[in-house]
Amino acid sequence: MTPRSSSEFEREAKGKRQSFLSEFAQFLMENKKWWMLPILIVLVLVGLLLIVGGSGVAPFIYTLF
C-alpha cells in the first residue's frame, strides 16, 4: 500500500462523492474480496423475502415453495 500525498487527498476530498454501491464495488475489485458477493446477495434476498412475507403478497410467495 503506497502512502498518498496531501494534494491527492485534498483532490479526492473535493471530488464528487461516490454512492455506497459504487464504493463497495470498487472495494471488491481492489481488495479481491469477490467471495463476499454471494453472501451479500443471499442476505439481500432473505431480507426481501422477510419484508414481502409480512405483506399482502405473502400468499402468492408461499405458493412458489
Side-chain angles (χ1 to χ4, degrees):
M1 191 165 146
T2 59
R4 294 184 176 189
S5 65
S6 62
S7 62
E8 184 180 353
F9 178 78
E10 291 173 1
R11 188 173 4 102
E12 290 287 333
K14 291 179 183 177
K16 183 182 174 201
R17 296 189 75 179
Q18 294 179 337
S19 69
F20 174 75
L21 292 177
S22 65
E23 189 172 338
F24 187 69
Q26 184 178 2
F27 166 77
L28 290 177
M29 286 187 289
E30 288 180 4
N31 294 311
K32 311 255 188 302
K33 302 280 186 188
W34 294 110
W35 56 269
M36 293 177 72
L37 201 56
I39 296 170
L40 292 173
I41 290 172
V42 168
L43 286 174
V44 167
L45 290 175
V46 168
L48 287 173
L49 186 62
L50 288 173
I51 290 171
V52 175
S55 67
V57 185
F60 301 108
I61 293 175
Y62 295 131
T63 59
L64 297 175
F65 298 103

